Every structure is written in structure tokens, then in C-alpha cells.
Amino acid sequence: QVELLYPRPGWVELDPEVLWNQFVDVIKEAVQAAGLHMRQIAGIGISTQRATFITWHKYTGKPFHNFISWQDLRSTELVNSWNKSLLLKVIHVIFTVLHFLTGNDRYLAPSFLTFSTHQTSMKLSWVFKNIHEAEEAAKKNNCCFGTIDTWLLYRLTKGSVYATDYSNASATGVFEPFTKCWNPTLCNLLSIPMSIYPPVKDTSFNFGSSDSEIFGVPIPIMAVVADQQSAMFGECCFHPGDVKLTMGTGGFWNVNTGRHLFASQRGLYPLIGWKIGEEVVYLTEGCMSDIGTAIKWAQDINLFTNVDETAKMAQSIVDSQGVCFVPDFQVSVHDPYLCASFMGLKPSTTRSHLVRAILESVAFRNKQLYDIIVKKVRIPLQTIRADGGVSNNSFVMQMTSDLINKEIEKPANADMSSLGAAFLAGLASGFWTDKEQLKKLRRVEAVFEPQKDSEEYKPAMDTWLQAMKRSLHC
């Protein structure tokens, strides 16, 4: 876990050297812990956080700035300016008409395009407006852009490999999933030079080998994949309608939509899941912030001492006694005054009520996203598989199962991102020959089945929804 840096209010960064050194150390420690030698490693699979990026000089390799995190808010003014602009309104009208005339979903997403601070595009535009060295290098075609995976590839190969994969590229918001190309129209709008982008390769692919000085021997790099898509692959959600629910720092619902790319609807985003040879698998994603963040905060202020206690604390009381937790530790672009809060506090409120309110908010938001997916995604949903640290919380899992009235599988290993990267690397290196072999390796620890009618939760969820609405007007 690389420590985040906060150089100014709203800025969130990572030191590229610290990230690189920790990456190398983790690989060495993992190999040693397994009782292996580096020369026994058939290949490396790299799974990384999405949308966090850096730019650097093509020939010297020197970064122009620290990694700018997906959580960073430095582009807030730029985002607000664009979202209020006449040009964006004109774009909406043009693409609405094109979608009406053609019926082509490719024109649907731009018809209600809005920018947000989470998108790489706006922060990248900020870089070229504010960092002179990056702007000058780009003019001479000497500027490289990369998400974390691209930077690690570049460093592992000492500059000989400059690339990303389709899963990471599609998560930047600068890559057009319909055409599978970096989006020239968007880049022209935002004055981002097209020369900065890396080539995009298959997810399961021989990217080359690490320089022998790093690990003592060259090791093939056989897969590069974004974390949520990697978790999807690790859960063996290979078929259209398979659903993966990750509950970690944030929450992510991903639906396998097969060969069909569903245009972005409000609250849902189209992504490339992975590309292996001729096979391209698309996903639709809904996400929510501040799940693990809220639970860690509660631990930091001593609402409990161990995360394992939280489910028992929540189950020890009948309800939250009307206490609601409004989750929003991220400053909102639309409402900078919105922040996380408790509502409904009383003299009788205990730590257990506060903890239950936090956990209930996770389940309620799961229900909200699930309902959007059912309404918008035109594919029958099949299996639902959960992962991430919060999936270990039996209270959240059971309440979510009750609310959506579906079974939810929890794997024995909650860290699916690393497993997915290993699966993809193993396929590329020939360690496994097909995905059927991978399915046999799945280990399910528990299956949560609905035990209560979702209507029983309606009063509590209605109260929570009212609290959410009131928080918007504080």
C-alpha cells in the first residue's frame, strides 16, 4: 500500500519512486515466501489501480510530476467550467440527434457527456495547462503518458517497452471503447496532444521481459490488467450476465456483457474487460466511493478495535435506532459542501448503532446500484460473486443478499485482483490452456442466500434515502 501524498488541499498524489521500489520489493518477498527462486518464475501478471497516471520525458525517463491519483480534485474548476459551457450543450444536441437518426449506441454516451474530477482526461488537460515542462516536451513528441501499469512496464524493461492494455486504457475515459482507439475528438476539445499515448496491447500478452539487473534474471511479463477487470477474471465471470461485486476502498458492480458494448447510461459506464487474441469481452460498471474508507475511519476514531467485530456489533442490535450514515468523504464537484455525516443521533445512540448505520449504508447503496443495473442492462443476470475486504463482513453480505433477493458467492480468497492477473499471465505463458481449467481452481467459502423479504428493510432504507436528500441541502 503506497502512502498517499496531499501537497495541497484536494490534491492526491503518489511518489513514483516509492511505488516502484515497493512493487519490486513485493515481488521479491512473494517469491521468497513461496520458497522459490526467481529463475523458477514463468511470468509476471501486473494488476494495478486504474486512472491514476503520470507523464515523463521519453528519453530521460524523468517524471514531470508525481502520480496524480484518481481521487485528486485539482481539475475541479476545469470540470465545472466545461460542464457549464455552451460548447458541451451543443455537443449534447448534436449527438442526441445522431443517436435518434441512426439508433447507434456509439452516439448515446456523448449525448449526455459530463466531466468529473475522477476522469483522467480533465486532470491530464490540467497538466498541459499548468506544467510547462510537460507541455514543451509534448510539442517535440517527447512526452509519455501512462497509468501505473505503463510506468511499471517502462521501469521493468528499463525503457524498452512502452505500452498499456485495453482494460487500463478503457478506464481512463480518454479511450474510445467502440473504436478501440484513443479518442482524438476529446483530446482536441481538451487540448491534449495525441502523441503522448502508449500503444494498446492485449491483456494476456507477452509484453517482453524485465531487465535482468532487477531480479537477477529476466522474467517474462505476460499480463497487464486493471484491478476491477482483473478481479472479474479472477472470479471466473466469463459469461454474459455474470456479475462481480468488489467491496474494498470503493465499491464496484461489474456485469459481463460479452461481445456487446452497452453505451454509458447515467450511473453506469462501459469498459473493456479484457482482450485475449480475437476475444474481446466488455463490461458495464457501476461504482460507489467510500466503503472501506468509511470503515477504516470508524476504526481510527475507536468505534471498534478490530474490523472482524463490526458484523457482531451490527447483529447485536435490532436496528440502527433511526441513525443513518451519509457516505461522502470525497468532496463532490456538484456540491463542495456535501460531506460524510451521521443523522438521527440520540442520547441512547451507542457505538453499535453507529457501526450498524455505516454497514447498512453499504448494503443500501449495493441495492441502489443493483436496481440500476437490472433496469438498464439488457442481459439476464446470472451468478453474483463478491470479493474485496468488505466481502468478509457477514452482515453486509447477508443484508445485500436480502435486499437484492439473490444468492451471492464469496470466494475463499477475497483478493481477486492478484488472482486474475495470475490467471491471465498463466494463460499467456501456457501454464493453463483454457478458462475451463481456471474454473476448476475456484474455491467458494460461503454462499449468502436471501433470508428476509426485502420489504422488511423498506422503512430503514426510506429513512436513509431521506437522510441522503437532506444532506444535499445542509
Side-chain angles (χ1 to χ4, degrees):
Q1 186 70 35
V2 180
E3 183 179 354
L4 295 175
L5 306 174
Y6 304 94
R8 296 187 193 179
W11 290 30
V12 187
E13 299 181 349
L14 293 84
D15 186 311
E17 288 303 315
V18 171
L19 186 147
W20 164 250
N21 290 328
Q22 289 194 10
F23 171 76
V24 172
D25 290 344
V26 163
I27 291 177
K28 289 179 178 178
E29 289 168 7
V31 171
Q32 185 177 9
L36 300 172
H37 190 277
M38 284 294 179
R39 61 176 170 267
Q40 296 174 274
I41 305 303
I44 298 173
I46 301 174
S47 169
T48 55
Q49 180 188 101
R50 306 175 306 181
T52 296
F53 73 92
I54 194 169
T55 63
W56 68 92
H57 196 283
K58 182 183 290 185
Y59 296 109
T60 67
K62 182 182 177 182
F64 296 119
H65 51 85
N66 283 338
F67 272 103
I68 298 176
S69 170
W70 65 273
Q71 300 161 295
D72 189 281
L73 298 171
R74 72 187 66 193
S75 62
T76 299
E77 288 184 14
L78 203 57
V79 168
N80 286 334
S81 174
W82 264 103
N83 286 342
K84 294 174 183 175
S85 69
L86 176 62
L87 179 56
L88 193 62
K89 290 180 174 64
V90 171
I91 290 169
H92 289 169
V93 171
I94 291 171
F95 282 97
T96 298
V97 172
L98 284 172
H99 181 254
F100 176 77
L101 293 175
T102 66
N104 190 333
D105 274 359
R106 181 182 172 185
Y107 302 123
L108 183 58
S111 70
F112 49 77
L113 169 69
T114 53
F115 293 105
S116 83
T117 56
H118 288 171
Q119 293 166 340
T120 302
S121 56
M122 299 308 291
K123 291 191 281 281
L124 195 50
S125 180
W126 181 94
V127 165
F128 289 108
K129 290 178 186 296
N130 292 276
I131 300 179
H132 178 70
E133 295 87 346
E135 181 189 21
E136 287 301 306
K139 288 178 181 177
K140 299 174 183 177
N141 291 339
N142 289 336
C143 180
C144 294
F145 158 86
T147 41
I148 294 176
D149 60 298
T150 304
W151 172 253
L152 294 178
L153 267 177
Y154 185 86
R155 292 294 299 266
L156 277 170
T157 60
K158 294 205 171 173
S160 66
V161 176
Y162 177 51
T164 188
D165 93 295
Y166 285 91
S167 68
N168 279 288
S170 73
T172 62
V174 193
F175 191 80
E176 171 55 68
F178 281 94
T179 60
K180 303 185 191 70
C181 295
W182 298 105
N183 191 327
T185 306
L186 182 62
C187 290
N188 286 332
L189 278 175
L190 301 179
S191 301
I192 301 171
M194 286 293 293
S195 62
I196 67 171
Y197 296 111
V200 184
K201 306 292 186 183
D202 284 6
T203 308
S204 184
F205 178 78
N206 188 340
F207 286 85
S209 295
S210 64
D211 189 277
S212 58
E213 288 185 9
I214 297 171
F215 299 117
V217 292
I219 299 177
I221 304 160
M222 304 304 289
V224 167
V225 60
D227 56 1
Q228 296 308 318
Q229 290 94 317
S230 187
M232 189 88 172
F233 202 89
E235 289 274 31
C236 297
C237 292
F238 300 142
H239 306 291
D242 284 348
V243 181
K244 183 271 302 176
L245 165 59
T246 294
M247 292 182 287
T249 303
F252 299 85
W253 282 81
N254 295 93
V255 183
N256 184 325
T257 59
R259 293 177 294 173
H260 302 287
L261 180 62
F262 286 113
S264 176
Q265 303 282 348
R266 296 182 193 279
L268 299 177
Y269 304 92
L271 293 169
I272 296 175
W274 52 83
K275 183 176 182 296
I276 306 173
E278 296 300 311
E279 179 195 42
V280 181
V281 171
Y282 294 101
L283 311 179
T284 289
E285 178 174 281
C287 62
M288 48 192 175
S289 60
D290 299 334
I291 291 183
T293 307
I295 293 172
K296 184 178 184 305
W297 167 81
Q299 184 174 14
D300 290 343
I301 65 166
N302 297 319
L303 286 184
F304 54 88
T305 55
N306 190 307
V307 175
D308 296 340
E309 300 172 29
T310 57
K312 290 181 180 178
M313 290 176 73
Q315 291 160 350
S316 70
I317 51 180
V318 177
D319 54 39
S320 67
Q321 211 178 65
V323 176
C324 296
F325 177 68
V326 177
D328 209 319
F329 283 93
Q330 292 289 317
V331 176
S332 170
V333 174
H334 306 293
D335 183 355
Y337 301 104
L338 178 65
C339 57
S341 58
F342 283 104
M343 292 191 182
L345 298 176
K346 306 170 186 66
S348 57
T349 299
T350 66
R351 288 188 304 162
S352 293
H353 292 118
L354 297 177
V355 169
R356 180 166 177 134
I358 292 172
L359 299 185
E360 283 183 345
S361 76
V362 177
F364 290 149
R365 285 189 291 161
N366 279 335
K367 167 67 172 170
Q368 283 183 314
L369 270 178
Y370 176 82
D371 286 349
I372 292 170
I373 288 167
V374 169
K375 183 178 180 180
K376 299 290 186 182
V377 178
R378 302 183 297 273
I379 290 178
L381 302 185
Q382 306 298 328
T383 59
I384 301 176
R385 294 165 180 168
D387 64 89
V390 183
S391 70
N392 291 317
N393 189 291
S394 60
F395 179 84
V396 171
M397 292 289 287
Q398 185 59 58
M399 188 171 176
T400 300
S401 174
D402 291 343
L403 284 168
I404 68 174
N405 195 34
K406 290 283 186 181
E407 287 186 358
I408 306 176
E409 294 181 5
K410 181 197 170 300
N413 174 14
D415 186 4
M416 284 290 113
S417 293
S418 57
L419 185 61
F423 280 172
L424 286 157
L427 286 172
S429 63
F431 190 81
W432 294 295
T433 56
D434 57 44
K435 294 196 284 288
E436 291 303 313
Q437 288 181 295
L438 304 180
K439 292 179 185 178
K440 295 174 183 176
L441 300 175
R442 286 196 70 243
R443 296 291 179 268
V444 177
E445 182 179 90
V447 177
F448 291 85
E449 300 177 357
Q451 293 182 356
K452 288 185 181 180
D453 191 307
S454 61
E455 284 298 307
E456 292 185 40
Y457 295 99
K458 191 175 186 305
M461 188 163 182
D462 286 346
T463 302
W464 179 77
L465 289 170
Q466 286 299 316
M468 292 286 284
K469 288 178 183 176
R470 288 183 63 188
S471 71
L472 294 171
H473 306 290
C474 289

